[in-house]
Amino acid sequence: MTEPKLVFLVVFNSVLSVFGSLMNLVVAFVIVQNPNLQKGLNLLLLSLCVADFMNCAMSQPMYVHAILNNSDETGSIYTLVFTIIAFITLHASTTNLLAMTLYRMKALSRPFTHFLLVSKKQVLISIAMVWIASITVGVFFATDAGKLVAAYFHLAMTLAWIAGYAGLFWLVKQHKTKIISLEGSPTTQLQTASLRYESEAAKTSAILVASSLACFFPDIVLDFMGRADESRMAWGFTVLFMSSSINPCLIIWRSQQFRQVLGKTVRDLRQRQLK
């Protein structure tokens, strides 16, 4: 690796690591500090922030160390440990996004009763399953046997995401048509507001997934070409980790409720400091 490229990768990943860690901490802190946000999709967002924080605060610094010590001093054991941890945290991020997709599909299949039928306990169980799956998959894909099927698994997940969101927006269209046909009924206004909320939430999830796919897709292509391991250490992990810094920015940008709560939280902290 040439010195200019090495310097760029070290500086760029270091800046992303600090920035991504802080942004994910901000989102997680606001959700933890506000009980009214601790439900449904927001709990999945919290789990996503934890995964992205681990990417930025743990996996990315390990990557910087690995490329700085691209010699026998790093050793195969360190490379293996780093790869396993990176695979776990990266898959935790994508698996949380998959869980959000399934949650949105379930919500839009019954948009007017979903909040009454899905309990906080059910969401927490789903999050636990996400992390168990991420650890299992991350460890497996770091093995020789896992590398043989990783590209096909990731391609299948990508196609499932695309099909899932095509189905989501088809459901939105179907519900809009149904509401229009019931125009004038006492519940039309409530149903319209509920559908608008679910539609905006689906768009937010879709943007998060699209952003992540843009970061992960080059790695999938290179994996099919048999060049994934080489490209990841050269530059690929940099692109993969970028999604973890982008996600919290998208969450803040897309959620007006979150921005309002964030502003209130900042004002409350300032008032406590002044007292």
Side-chain angles (χ1 to χ4, degrees):
M1 188 181 297
T2 62
E3 186 173 347
K5 182 179 178 180
L6 177 64
V7 171
F8 171 78
L9 285 176
V10 169
V11 172
F12 186 71
N13 279 279
S14 298
V15 171
L16 271 188
S17 175
V18 174
F19 175 76
S21 297
L22 290 175
M23 292 301 295
N24 281 292
L25 278 177
V26 167
V27 176
F29 177 76
V30 171
I31 295 175
V32 170
Q33 284 292 107
N34 294 272
N36 61 313
L37 292 179
Q38 296 170 20
K39 55 187 177 182
L41 184 64
N42 289 329
L43 290 175
L44 291 170
L45 287 175
L46 176 60
S47 180
L48 174 64
C49 286
V50 171
D52 286 337
F53 174 78
M54 292 175 68
N55 269 321
C56 295
M58 182 164 50
S59 300
Q60 206 158 14
M62 291 182 71
Y63 174 58
V64 171
H65 176 79
I67 58 179
L68 278 173
N69 298 274
N70 189 20
S71 63
D72 293 336
E73 295 179 7
T74 302
S76 59
I77 294 178
Y78 178 86
T79 302
L80 178 61
V81 171
F82 158 67
T83 302
I84 291 173
I85 291 174
F87 280 6
I88 290 173
T89 55
L90 285 168
H91 282 94
S93 182
T94 56
T95 310
N96 272 294
L97 288 170
L98 181 60
M100 288 169 59
T101 303
L102 295 174
Y103 183 90
R104 291 267 57 84
M105 291 181 71
K106 194 173 182 181
L108 279 167
S109 65
R110 47 187 185 186
F112 314 122
T113 58
H114 179 69
F115 289 114
L116 300 176
L117 297 175
V118 178
S119 66
K120 184 176 180 179
K121 181 180 178 181
Q122 289 175 310
V123 177
L124 292 176
I125 291 173
S126 298
I127 290 172
M129 293 174 63
V130 161
W131 281 94
I132 292 171
S134 301
I135 293 170
T136 303
V137 169
V139 173
F140 175 65
F141 284 163
T143 65
D144 291 336
K147 291 177 182 179
L148 296 175
V149 300
Y152 300 97
F153 176 86
H154 294 142
L155 179 60
M157 182 178 287
T158 299
L159 294 175
W161 264 335
I162 294 172
Y165 279 98
L168 276 177
F169 292 113
W170 179 83
L171 281 173
V172 170
K173 185 177 180 181
Q174 291 295 105
H175 287 307
K176 284 182 178 177
T177 302
K178 182 179 178 181
I179 291 173
I180 291 172
S181 68
L182 297 174
E183 190 173 356
S185 69
T187 61
T188 298
Q189 188 173 358
L190 178 61
Q191 289 180 347
T192 301
S194 177
L195 184 61
R196 185 181 298 114
Y197 171 83
E198 294 296 345
S199 178
E200 287 301 311
K203 288 179 183 178
T204 299
S205 299
I207 291 171
L208 286 168
V209 169
S211 171
S212 295
L213 284 179
C215 295
F216 298 150
F217 191 71
D219 184 75
I220 297 173
V221 174
L222 289 167
D223 206 0
F224 273 107
M225 297 172 62
R227 296 170 52 190
D229 289 339
E230 175 188 352
S231 65
R232 284 170 189 155
M233 293 307 297
W235 57 269
F237 274 122
T238 302
V239 179
L240 290 170
F241 291 141
M242 280 178 62
S243 64
S244 294
S245 295
I246 295 171
N247 286 340
C249 300
L250 292 176
I251 292 170
I252 295 173
W253 166 56
R254 285 291 303 172
S255 176
Q256 182 179 0
Q257 181 191 22
F258 187 88
R259 292 196 301 273
Q260 291 173 345
V261 175
L262 174 60
K264 182 178 181 300
T265 303
V266 172
R267 289 192 295 272
D268 290 345
L269 289 173
R270 286 179 178 175
Q271 290 177 357
R272 290 175 189 175
Q273 291 176 349
L274 293 174
K275 289 181 180 180

